[in-house]
Coordinates of all heavy atoms in Angstrom, one line a residue:
N1 N 115.8 80.8 117.8 CA 116.8 81.3 116.8 C 116.3 82.5 116.1 O 115.3 82.4 115.5 CB 117.1 80.1 115.9 CG 118.3 80.4 114.9 OD1 118.8 81.5 115.0 ND2 118.6 79.4 114.1
P2 N 117.0 83.6 116.2 CA 116.5 84.8 115.5 C 116.3 84.7 114.0 O 115.4 85.3 113.5 CB 117.6 85.9 115.8 CG 118.4 85.3 117.0 CD 118.3 83.9 116.9
T3 N 117.2 83.9 113.4 CA 117.1 83.8 111.9 C 115.8 83.0 111.6 O 115.0 83.3 110.7 CB 118.3 83.0 111.4 OG1 119.5 83.7 111.8 CG2 118.2 82.9 109.9
A4 N 115.5 81.9 112.4 CA 114.3 81.1 112.2 C 113.1 82.0 112.4 O 112.1 81.9 111.7 CB 114.3 79.9 113.1
L5 N 113.1 82.8 113.5 CA 112.0 83.7 113.7 C 111.7 84.7 112.6 O 110.6 84.9 112.2 CB 112.2 84.4 115.1 CG 112.1 83.5 116.3 CD1 112.5 84.4 117.5 CD2 110.8 82.9 116.5
L6 N 112.8 85.2 112.0 CA 112.7 86.1 111.0 C 112.1 85.5 109.7 O 111.2 86.0 109.1 CB 114.1 86.7 110.6 CG 114.1 87.8 109.5 CD1 113.3 89.0 109.9 CD2 115.5 88.1 109.2
V7 N 112.6 84.3 109.4 CA 112.1 83.5 108.3 C 110.6 83.2 108.5 O 109.8 83.4 107.5 CB 112.9 82.2 108.0 CG1 112.2 81.3 107.0 CG2 114.3 82.6 107.6
E8 N 110.2 82.8 109.7 CA 108.8 82.5 109.9 C 108.0 83.7 109.8 O 106.9 83.7 109.2 CB 108.7 81.9 111.3 CG 107.3 81.4 111.7 CD 107.2 80.9 113.1 OE1 108.2 80.8 113.8 OE2 106.1 80.5 113.4
R9 N 108.4 84.8 110.3 CA 107.7 86.1 110.3 C 107.5 86.5 108.8 O 106.4 86.9 108.4 CB 108.4 87.2 111.1 CG 107.6 88.5 111.1 CD 108.1 89.4 112.1 NE 107.8 88.9 113.4 CZ 108.4 89.3 114.5 NH1 109.2 90.3 114.5 NH2 108.1 88.8 115.7
I10 N 108.5 86.4 108.0 CA 108.4 86.8 106.6 C 107.4 85.8 105.9 O 106.6 86.3 105.0 CB 109.8 86.7 105.9 CG1 110.7 87.9 106.4 CG2 109.7 86.8 104.4 CD1 112.1 87.8 106.0
F11 N 107.5 84.6 106.2 CA 106.5 83.6 105.6 C 105.1 84.0 105.9 O 104.3 84.1 105.0 CB 106.8 82.2 106.1 CG 105.7 81.2 105.8 CD1 105.6 80.7 104.5 CD2 104.8 80.8 106.7 CE1 104.6 79.8 104.2 CE2 103.8 79.9 106.4 CZ 103.7 79.4 105.1
W12 N 104.8 84.3 107.2 CA 103.4 84.6 107.6 C 103.0 85.9 107.0 O 101.8 86.1 106.6 CB 103.3 84.5 109.1 CG 103.3 83.1 109.6 CD1 104.2 82.6 110.4 CD2 102.3 82.1 109.4 NE1 103.9 81.3 110.7 CE2 102.8 81.0 110.1 CE3 101.2 82.0 108.6 CZ2 102.1 79.8 110.0 CZ3 100.5 80.8 108.6 CH2 100.9 79.7 109.3
L13 N 103.9 86.9 106.9 CA 103.5 88.2 106.3 C 103.3 88.0 104.8 O 102.3 88.6 104.3 CB 104.6 89.2 106.5 CG 104.7 89.7 108.0 CD1 106.0 90.6 108.1 CD2 103.5 90.5 108.3
G14 N 104.1 87.2 104.2 CA 103.8 86.9 102.7 C 102.5 86.2 102.5 O 101.8 86.5 101.6
L15 N 102.2 85.2 103.3 CA 101.0 84.5 103.2 C 99.8 85.4 103.4 O 98.8 85.4 102.7 CB 100.9 83.3 104.2 CG 99.7 82.4 104.1 CD1 99.7 81.7 102.7 CD2 99.8 81.4 105.2
G16 N 99.9 86.3 104.4 CA 98.8 87.2 104.7 C 98.6 88.2 103.6 O 97.5 88.6 103.2
A17 N 99.7 88.7 103.0 CA 99.7 89.6 101.9 C 99.0 89.0 100.7 O 98.2 89.5 100.0 CB 101.1 90.1 101.5
F18 N 99.4 87.7 100.4 CA 98.8 87.0 99.3 C 97.3 86.8 99.5 O 96.5 87.1 98.6 CB 99.4 85.6 99.2 CG 98.7 84.7 98.2 CD1 98.9 84.9 96.8 CD2 97.9 83.7 98.6 CE1 98.3 84.1 95.9 CE2 97.3 82.9 97.7 CZ 97.5 83.1 96.3
L19 N 96.9 86.4 100.6 CA 95.4 86.2 100.9 C 94.7 87.6 100.9 O 93.6 87.6 100.4 CB 95.2 85.5 102.2 CG 95.7 84.0 102.3 CD1 95.5 83.5 103.7 CD2 94.9 83.2 101.3
G20 N 95.3 88.6 101.4 CA 94.7 89.9 101.4 C 94.5 90.4 100.0 O 93.4 90.9 99.6
L21 N 95.5 90.3 99.1 CA 95.4 90.7 97.7 C 94.4 89.8 97.0 O 93.7 90.3 96.1 CB 96.8 90.6 97.0 CG 97.8 91.7 97.4 CD1 99.1 91.4 96.8 CD2 97.3 93.0 97.0
A22 N 94.3 88.5 97.3 CA 93.3 87.7 96.7 C 91.9 88.1 97.0 O 91.0 88.2 96.1 CB 93.5 86.2 97.1
I23 N 91.7 88.5 98.2 CA 90.3 89.0 98.7 C 90.0 90.3 98.0 O 88.9 90.5 97.5 CB 90.3 89.1 100.2 CG1 90.3 87.7 100.8 CG2 89.0 89.8 100.6 CD1 90.4 87.6 102.3
I24 N 91.0 91.2 98.0 CA 90.7 92.5 97.4 C 90.5 92.4 95.9 O 89.6 93.0 95.3 CB 91.9 93.5 97.6 CG1 91.9 93.9 99.1 CG2 91.9 94.7 96.8 CD1 93.2 94.6 99.6
T25 N 91.3 91.5 95.2 CA 91.1 91.3 93.8 C 89.7 90.7 93.5 O 89.0 91.1 92.6 CB 92.2 90.4 93.2 OG1 93.4 91.0 93.5 CG2 92.0 90.2 91.7
S26 N 89.3 89.8 94.3 CA 88.0 89.2 94.2 C 86.8 90.2 94.4 O 85.9 90.2 93.6 CB 87.8 88.0 95.2 OG 86.5 87.5 95.1
L27 N 87.0 91.0 95.3 CA 85.9 92.1 95.6 C 85.9 93.0 94.4 O 84.8 93.4 94.0 CB 86.2 92.8 96.9 CG 86.0 92.0 98.2 CD1 86.5 92.8 99.4 CD2 84.5 91.6 98.3
L28 N 87.0 93.5 93.9 CA 87.1 94.4 92.8 C 86.5 93.8 91.6 O 85.8 94.4 90.8 CB 88.5 94.9 92.6 CG 89.1 95.8 93.6 CD1 90.5 96.2 93.3 CD2 88.3 97.1 93.8
R29 N 86.8 92.5 91.3 CA 86.3 91.8 90.1 C 84.8 91.7 90.3 O 84.0 91.9 89.3 CB 86.9 90.5 90.0 CG 86.5 89.8 88.7 CD 87.3 88.5 88.5 NE 88.7 88.7 88.4 CZ 89.6 87.8 88.6 NH1 89.3 86.7 89.1 NH2 90.9 88.1 88.5
G30 N 84.3 91.4 91.4 CA 82.8 91.3 91.7 C 82.1 92.6 91.4 O 81.1 92.6 90.8
L31 N 82.7 93.7 91.9 CA 82.1 95.0 91.7 C 82.1 95.4 90.2 O 81.2 95.9 89.7 CB 82.9 96.1 92.5 CG 82.7 96.0 94.0 CD1 83.6 97.0 94.7 CD2 81.2 96.3 94.4
K32 N 83.2 95.0 89.5 CA 83.3 95.3 88.1 C 82.3 94.5 87.3 O 81.7 95.1 86.4 CB 84.8 95.0 87.6 CG 85.0 95.3 86.2 CD 86.5 95.0 85.8 CE 86.7 95.2 84.3 NZ 88.1 94.8 84.0
E33 N 82.2 93.3 87.6 CA 81.2 92.4 86.8 C 79.8 92.7 87.2 O 78.9 92.5 86.4 CB 81.5 90.9 87.1 CG 82.8 90.5 86.4 CD 83.1 89.0 86.7 OE1 82.3 88.4 87.4 OE2 84.2 88.6 86.2
G34 N 79.6 93.3 88.4 CA 78.2 93.6 88.8 C 77.7 94.8 88.0 O 76.5 94.9 87.7
K35 N 78.6 95.7 87.5 CA 78.2 96.8 86.6 C 77.8 96.3 85.2 O 77.0 96.9 84.6 CB 79.3 97.8 86.5 CG 79.6 98.5 87.8 CD 80.7 99.5 87.7 CE 81.0 100.1 89.0 NZ 82.2 101.0 88.9
N36 N 78.4 95.3 84.8 CA 78.1 94.7 83.4 C 77.0 93.7 83.5 O 77.2 92.5 83.4 CB 79.4 94.1 82.8 CG 80.5 95.1 82.7 OD1 80.3 96.3 82.6 ND2 81.7 94.6 82.7
K37 N 75.8 94.2 83.6 CA 74.6 93.3 83.7 C 74.3 92.8 82.3 O 74.2 93.6 81.4 CB 73.5 94.0 84.3 CG 73.7 94.3 85.8 CD 72.5 94.9 86.5 CE 72.8 95.2 87.9 NZ 71.7 95.8 88.6
T38 N 74.1 91.5 82.2 CA 73.7 91.0 80.9 C 72.2 90.5 80.9 O 71.7 90.2 82.0 CB 74.6 89.7 80.5 OG1 74.4 88.8 81.6 CG2 76.0 90.1 80.4
T39 N 71.6 90.5 79.8 CA 70.2 90.1 79.7 C 70.2 88.6 79.3 O 71.0 88.2 78.4 CB 69.5 90.9 78.6 OG1 70.1 90.7 77.4 CG2 69.4 92.4 79.0
P40 N 69.4 87.8 79.9 CA 69.3 86.4 79.6 C 68.7 86.2 78.2 O 67.9 87.0 77.7 CB 68.3 85.8 80.6 CG 67.6 87.0 81.2 CD 68.4 88.2 81.0
I41 N 69.2 85.1 77.5 CA 68.7 84.8 76.1 C 67.8 83.6 76.2 O 68.1 82.7 76.9 CB 69.9 84.5 75.2 CG1 70.8 85.7 75.1 CG2 69.5 84.1 73.8 CD1 72.1 85.5 74.4
S42 N 66.7 83.7 75.5 CA 65.7 82.6 75.5 C 66.3 81.4 74.7 O 67.2 81.6 73.8 CB 64.4 83.0 74.9 OG 64.6 83.2 73.5
P43 N 65.8 80.2 75.0 CA 66.3 79.0 74.2 C 66.1 79.1 72.7 O 66.9 78.7 71.9 CB 65.5 77.9 74.9 CG 65.1 78.4 76.2 CD 65.0 79.8 76.1
D44 N 65.0 79.8 72.4 CA 64.7 79.9 70.9 C 65.7 80.8 70.2 O 66.2 80.5 69.1 CB 63.3 80.5 70.7 CG 62.2 79.6 71.2 OD1 62.4 78.4 71.1 OD2 61.1 80.1 71.6
Q45 N 66.1 81.9 70.9 CA 67.1 82.7 70.4 C 68.5 82.0 70.3 O 69.2 82.2 69.3 CB 67.3 84.0 71.2 CG 66.1 84.9 71.2 CD 66.2 86.1 72.1 OE1 66.9 86.0 73.2 NE2 65.6 87.2 71.8
L46 N 68.8 81.2 71.2 CA 70.0 80.4 71.2 C 70.0 79.4 70.0 O 71.0 79.2 69.3 CB 70.2 79.7 72.5 CG 70.7 80.5 73.7 CD1 70.8 79.6 75.0 CD2 72.0 81.1 73.4
E47 N 68.9 78.8 69.8 CA 68.7 77.9 68.7 C 68.9 78.6 67.4 O 69.6 78.1 66.5 CB 67.4 77.1 68.7 CG 67.3 76.1 69.8 CD 66.0 75.4 69.8 OE1 65.3 75.4 68.7 OE2 65.6 74.8 70.8
N48 N 68.3 79.7 67.2 CA 68.5 80.5 66.0 C 69.9 80.9 65.8 O 70.4 80.9 64.6 CB 67.6 81.8 66.0 CG 66.1 81.4 65.9 OD1 65.7 80.3 65.4 ND2 65.2 82.3 66.4

């Protein structure tokens, strides 16, 4: 059925776009957070 094939194709393209955007967003967030390096705090400083 051409309509069913069209719906299925739209579904798979949408799913692929969602997963692709999720991967790209994750990579960009990782690169952004990698630039913001934090220094560890000692337990004594945390207690103070």
Side-chain angles (χ1 to χ4, degrees):
N1 187 356
T3 306
L5 291 173
L6 180 63
V7 169
E8 184 181 1
R9 183 167 290 166
I10 290 171
F11 168 78
W12 288 114
L13 286 173
L15 184 63
F18 172 76
L19 292 175
L21 285 174
I23 290 171
I24 290 170
T25 304
S26 173
L27 289 173
L28 291 176
R29 185 176 296 157
L31 290 174
K32 182 180 175 183
E33 289 179 1
K35 292 178 183 176
N36 301 334
K37 294 184 178 179
T38 58
T39 57
I41 299 175
S42 69
D44 294 332
Q45 290 174 330
L46 286 175
E47 285 181 21
N48 291 336

